[in-house]
Amino acid sequence: MTERNNGMKERIIAGLAKRGYTLGEMLSTNVGVSGSIVFRGEYEGKPVAIKLASYGLMNSFEGPNVEKLEDFRRREIETLRLAGSHSSIPGYIDSFDVDDNVRDPIYALTMEHVDYPSIAAKIKKKERVSDQEARTLVRDILSAENHLHTQLPTQTLHRDVKTTNVLLNGQKAYLIDFDIVKQGDRDST
């Protein structure tokens, strides 16, 4: 790990600790389109997911792409605030700047941690999705999508439903990762 990464990790741990969070293991192993990485953490004795985003996490975020990162962040936070009460969407907890570094800000989004495997993880392990799990998956994910499309102030399209963004434990399925949602008016499709 480079000196810069060690310094960033120290900033993250210190900034989260000031707000009562502890940082645990990394859950996402690749940096997403929004330059973010998700960790397991803890807040008030409960497990949480901590999504961290920084311009420094992705070299491509320079110039006009910085605005794109800001837009991804704003839309994801807004969507989780409004839709996180749905039973198949993780609950929103908080969002904040990790510290006061304006040259290289690190943003945190905290939400309910859902400790279910993704469909992608099941496929990788060559686990079969049972008929009951398939019914659960369709019921819960379609319900979450319907909520996004019809129950929020603006129509919201997830745009990234894929095996890594659907968590399933047999009785319940969750839709996660809202950083590239598209928001429009009720008349748009």
Side-chain angles (χ1 to χ4, degrees):
M1 185 172 272
T2 67
E3 186 177 317
R4 182 187 186 298
N5 287 343
N6 282 334
M8 186 178 275
K9 184 176 180 180
E10 290 170 9
R11 283 178 51 207
I12 291 168
I13 291 170
L16 291 173
K18 285 181 184 177
R19 291 181 168 265
Y21 291 91
T22 58
L23 189 67
E25 70 178 297
M26 185 186 306
L27 298 175
S28 68
T29 55
N30 58 356
V31 176
V33 68
S34 64
S36 61
I37 301 174
V38 180
F39 291 86
R40 178 174 297 155
E42 193 171 293
Y43 180 67
E44 297 180 345
K46 296 179 184 168
V48 296
I50 303 171
K51 188 171 194 173
L52 299 168
S54 167
Y55 308 134
L57 292 174
M58 271 189 91
N59 294 333
S60 65
F61 278 96
E62 298 172 357
N65 287 329
V66 170
E67 292 173 20
K68 197 175 197 179
L69 177 62
E70 292 289 336
D71 195 40
F72 286 152
R73 179 176 171 246
R74 179 197 55 75
R75 286 182 296 174
E76 181 168 33
I77 291 167
E78 183 177 326
T79 300
L80 283 174
R81 278 186 178 153
L82 294 170
S85 62
H86 188 278
S87 63
S88 292
I89 296 174
Y92 170 86
I93 297 172
D94 199 5
S95 58
F96 51 88
D97 293 347
V98 168
D99 59 18
D100 296 326
N101 186 326
V102 294
R103 286 186 45 231
D104 187 16
I106 302 169
Y107 306 110
L109 167 62
T110 61
M111 65 201 100
E112 170 189 8
H113 177 259
V114 180
D115 197 17
Y116 296 170
S118 69
I119 298 295
K122 290 176 81 66
I123 291 169
K124 187 175 182 179
K125 289 180 169 180
K126 298 187 186 323
E127 292 179 10
R128 182 181 179 279
V129 174
S130 71
D131 291 346
Q132 178 58 44
E133 286 177 316
R135 284 189 290 277
T136 298
L137 173 71
V138 170
R139 178 198 67 211
D140 292 351
I141 300 309
L142 287 179
S143 176
E145 284 283 2
N146 183 61
H147 185 73
L148 293 170
H149 294 194
T150 64
Q151 302 302 309
L152 302 185
T154 59
Q155 183 181 47
T156 303
L157 306 175
H158 187 279
R159 297 193 322 166
D160 201 20
V161 178
K162 59 186 180 184
T163 59
T164 55
N165 290 340
V166 175
L167 308 180
L168 176 68
N169 82 340
Q171 290 77 43
K172 186 78 185 137
Y174 276 83
L175 183 60
I176 62 169
D177 198 1
F178 294 84
D179 58 0
I180 64 167
V181 298
K182 181 176 179 165
Q183 297 167 319
D185 59 45
R186 289 273 152 236
D187 298 326
S188 65
T189 56

